[in-house]
Amino acid sequence: MKVLKFGGTSVGSAQRIKNVAKLITNGEQKLVVLSAMAGTTNILVEISDYLYKKNPDGANEVINRLETQYRKHINELYSTETYKQKTSDALKAQFEFIRSYTKDLFTLFEEKVILAQGELMSTCMMTNYLQEQGVKVELLPALEFMRTDKNGEPDPVYIKEKLNAQLDLHPGADIYITQGFICRNAYGEIDNLQRGGSDYTASLIGAAIHTDEIQIWTDIDGMHNNDPRFVNHTEPVPRLQFEEAAELAYFGAKILHPTCIQPAKYANIPVRLLNTMDPSVSGTLISNDLVSDTIKAVAAKDNITAIKIKSGRMLLAYGFLRKVFEIFESYQTSIDMICTSEVGVSVTIDNTTHLNEIIDDLKKYGTVTVDKNMCIICVVGDLEWSNVGFEANALDAMRDIPVRMISFGGSNYNISFLVKEEDKKRALQSLSNHLFNNKI
Ligand code: ADP
Ligand code: ASP
Ligand code: MG
C-alpha cells in the first residue's frame, strides 16, 4: 500500500479537495496523510497568540472568521444535504471546542490542542466527501498511533504496533485517511511534529507499514535546482540521493521537512515529490541511488548568526575546540557550520535563545565577535573530493559577493557559503546562472 501526503495548498479549497479525491481513487489501495487547509495552522497560531495575551475578544473574532470560511467550503464541497449537515455538525462541534479555550488559562499545552484542529478538520472533510462519492474510506485517527517519546522523538515501535492495530480494525477499505503533523507525546498529551511536520508523518507511516513508495504531493513539480521564491527559471531535479535531499531540506528547501528523510532512508523506501496541480509530471525521486558527477541544487537558510572566537591560546593547544563546543552543548544550541584556523574558530547557529550567555562564556577563551542576519547558501550534489572543478565553479559564482565563511569536505554532498541575508538573492541567482547555465 502506497503512502501519499497532500500538503496545505493541495487541500486548500473545496475544488482542490475534489481534485485530490479524484487523484487518489484509481482503484489502488492507499494510505493518505493530509495537512490542514492552507493558512489554517497560521490562523490557529494567531488565535493562540490572542489567548496567550489574554484577549479572548481578539481570539473570538479570528475564530468566527475561520468558521465562516469553513462553512463556505462545506457548501461548495458536498452535493447532498445529508453530507452538508453531517460535516457542518462535526466542524461546528470543533469550533465550539476551540471557543471553550477562550475562557480559561492558556498555556503551551492548550496551544498544541488548538493547533491540532486544522488537520482534524481537513481529514473529516475529505473522509466525508469520499463517503458521499461512494468510496470505501476509513479515517484512522493519528492521535491513536502517532507518538513521541520522552525526548520528543517519534517512537517507531509504538507507531508500528498501534498503526497496524488501527488498520486491522478496519480491513478492506480502499482509502485510509489520516492526519499529518499531530501526535501525542510520551505523557499522552496532544502534541505535534513541528510546523511543516506532515511530511514527517508520511515517512514515519511509510516505514511503519513497509510501503514501497512515499509520495509527497505539493504545489510544485518536485525539488527545484534553486529556491523558486527567489530565483528565476529554476527547474525540477529528476533524482536525488537521500543525503542530498536531507542537506537541501535542512538548508532551506521548504518543499520537504528536514526530518522526513531519515525514516525513509533507514527503511530504504523511495520518496517521490509530485505536483497536485499537474499530476502527470514525474517530479523528483529520492532514493539511495546517486546520480554521480553533477551539482543538483542550491538552497538557503536565513536567520543565521556567526560567532568568531579568536585566541592566541588556540595556537598548538589541544582541548580548545572541546571547551568551545561544550559551551554550545550546555545551552542546547546546535552548530550548523564551522571553520577553523590556527588562531580562531567561527561557527554558526540559528537558535539565538541563549546567545548572550554563550558569548559571556566564550569570552573566557578568546575575543568574541558576532555577525547577525546572515544566511547559509548550500550547494548540493555529488561533491566527492576527487571530482575536480565543482568547487571552482561554485566559488566563481560567488566572485562578487562578500563571503564570511566557506565549508567544504564535511560530507561528500555540499559546499556551504555564509553571506549576509541582503546578498542572498544575488548569490542564489548567480549560482543558478553559473552552475545550471541559467541565463536570465
Ligand atoms: P505543502 O503545503 O504542500 O507542504 P510547502 O509550502 O511546505 O508545501 O512546500 C512547497 C513550496 O516549497 C513550494 O511552493 C516552493 O515555493 C517552496 N520551495 C522552496 N525551495 C524549493 C525548492 N528547491 N524546490 C521546490 N520548492 C521549493
Ligand atoms: N499544518 C501544519 C503546518 O502548517 C503541518 C504541515 O502542513 O505540514 O505547519
Ligand atoms: Mg510543507
Side-chain angles (χ1 to χ4, degrees):
M1 183 161 59
K2 283 201 174 31
V3 175
L4 288 75
K5 175 257 167 175
F6 291 87
T9 37
S10 301
V11 291
S13 65
Q15 189 53 48
R16 296 230 164 119
I17 292 179
K18 288 182 190 178
N19 291 350
V20 169
K22 212 186 278 170
L23 217 150
I24 58 180
T25 45
N26 62 352
E28 269 179 42
Q29 197 183 40
K30 295 183 184 69
L31 204 163
V32 176
V33 177
L34 298 183
S35 291
M37 293 179 84
T40 297
T41 312
N42 285 346
I43 293 174
L44 296 170
V45 170
E46 193 187 341
I47 292 167
S48 304
D49 202 34
Y50 277 116
L51 295 177
Y52 274 125
K53 295 189 168 105
K54 300 193 171 41
N55 180 354
D57 290 344
N60 269 318
E61 210 180 302
V62 184
I63 297 170
N64 292 346
R65 233 186 298 139
L66 189 65
E67 189 171 13
T68 308
Q69 275 179 27
Y70 272 82
R71 258 196 241 122
K72 277 194 204 138
H73 296 317
I74 291 173
N75 270 327
E76 278 175 51
L77 187 55
Y78 304 97
S79 47
T80 61
E81 271 319 307
T82 318
Y83 274 89
K84 276 187 192 171
Q85 196 57 49
K86 180 176 169 176
T87 316
S88 162
D89 288 349
L91 264 55
K92 198 162 173 222
Q94 262 183 284
F95 278 103
E96 280 315 312
F97 180 65
I98 297 175
R99 276 193 195 92
S100 71
Y101 282 83
T102 60
K103 298 183 180 78
D104 262 329
L105 181 74
F106 198 77
T107 67
L108 199 64
F109 167 75
E110 282 80 17
E111 181 182 13
K112 300 236 169 103
V113 179
I114 299 276
L115 293 197
Q117 302 310 310
E119 273 70 12
L120 292 168
M121 292 199 271
S122 63
T123 48
C124 163
M125 288 163 74
M126 177 66 86
T127 308
N128 287 354
Y129 179 70
L130 289 169
Q131 264 175 16
E132 190 185 47
Q133 299 299 305
V135 177
K136 270 167 74 186
V137 54
E138 285 293 342
L139 179 60
L140 305 180
L143 297 179
E144 295 292 324
F145 62 85
M146 195 50 72
R147 194 169 87 158
T148 52
D149 63 17
K150 284 189 176 143
N151 301 317
E153 297 294 331
D155 180 341
V157 177
Y158 182 97
I159 295 167
K160 185 174 179 169
E161 184 192 322
K162 299 290 180 183
L163 173 58
N164 281 311
Q166 282 291 319
L167 287 167
D168 289 345
L169 271 178
H170 308 286
D174 288 332
I175 306 285
Y176 294 97
I177 303 278
T178 193
Q179 299 86 14
F181 176 60
I182 67 174
C183 63
R184 286 189 190 275
N185 60 25
Y187 311 100
E189 297 153 349
I190 293 182
D191 209 323
N192 62 61
L193 300 173
Q194 311 292 331
R195 294 301 308 270
S198 296
D199 299 340
Y200 200 12
T201 305
S203 67
L204 289 164
I205 287 180
I209 64 164
H210 301 289
T211 184
D212 56 0
E213 185 167 289
I214 297 159
Q215 297 183 349
I216 308 285
W217 288 82
T218 181
D219 59 356
I220 190 163
D221 48 356
M223 176 76 79
H224 276 220
N225 58 10
N226 210 324
D227 194 325
R229 295 168 298 178
F230 302 102
V231 173
N232 299 318
H233 310 301
T234 58
E235 283 182 2
V237 183
R239 295 191 69 115
L240 284 170
Q241 198 187 34
F242 284 122
E243 278 81 359
E244 294 175 321
E247 297 272 9
L248 288 167
Y250 185 74
F251 286 107
K254 187 183 173 242
I255 185 172
L256 208 55
H257 196 265
T259 49
C260 148
I261 294 298
Q262 201 202 39
K265 176 175 142 52
Y266 283 161
N268 194 14
I269 301 167
V271 177
R272 205 181 277 278
L273 308 181
L274 290 157
N275 188 354
T276 320
M277 319 300 157
D278 192 357
S280 62
V281 299
S282 50
T284 300
L285 180 64
I286 305 167
S287 71
N288 262 320
D289 302 328
L290 176 71
V291 176
S292 55
D293 292 338
T294 52
I295 290 187
K296 311 289 172 20
V298 180
K301 186 175 177 188
D302 295 323
N303 291 321
I304 302 292
T305 299
I307 305 169
K308 174 155 62 187
I309 310 109
K310 220 175 74 186
S311 170
R313 272 185 273 170
M314 195 175 164
L315 196 70
L316 300 178
Y318 51 85
F320 177 82
L321 285 179
R322 179 177 55 78
K323 286 177 198 147
V324 167
F325 289 150
E326 271 172 2
I327 291 171
F328 287 91
E329 188 189 348
S330 66
Y331 292 105
Q332 294 178 332
T333 302
S334 66
I335 292 171
D336 278 332
M337 253 176 107
I338 169 161
C339 289
T340 62
S341 89
E342 193 48 42
V343 290
V345 53
S346 277
V347 299
T348 69
I349 58 173
D350 66 353
N351 173 2
T352 51
T353 318
H354 298 291
L355 182 62
N356 291 337
E357 295 98 313
I358 290 172
I359 294 171
D360 270 352
D361 285 5
L362 287 173
K363 280 181 177 164
K364 290 178 202 147
Y365 299 107
T367 315
V368 180
T369 44
V370 176
D371 294 299
K372 294 185 179 167
N373 304 321
M374 306 296 285
C375 164
I376 295 177
I377 308 269
C378 183
V379 177
V380 170
D382 176 22
L383 291 159
E384 216 263 314
W385 68 276
S386 56
N387 290 343
V388 293
F390 292 126
E391 308 88 278
N393 254 349
L395 277 169
D396 198 33
M398 303 297 279
R399 176 197 299 270
D400 298 322
I401 293 150
V403 175
R404 164 74 177 77
M405 287 165 70
I406 301 176
S407 165
F408 173 64
S411 78
N412 285 344
Y413 305 100
N414 89 39
I415 309 172
S416 300
F417 298 97
L418 187 71
V419 302
K420 283 188 192 155
E421 255 172 31
E422 65 198 54
D423 289 326
K424 160 175 146 176
K425 201 171 165 207
R426 204 153 59 95
L428 289 176
Q429 188 70 60
S430 178
L431 282 161
S432 260
N433 298 348
H434 274 72
L435 301 175
F436 312 125
N437 244 349
N438 183 356
K439 306 280 177 234
I440 321 159

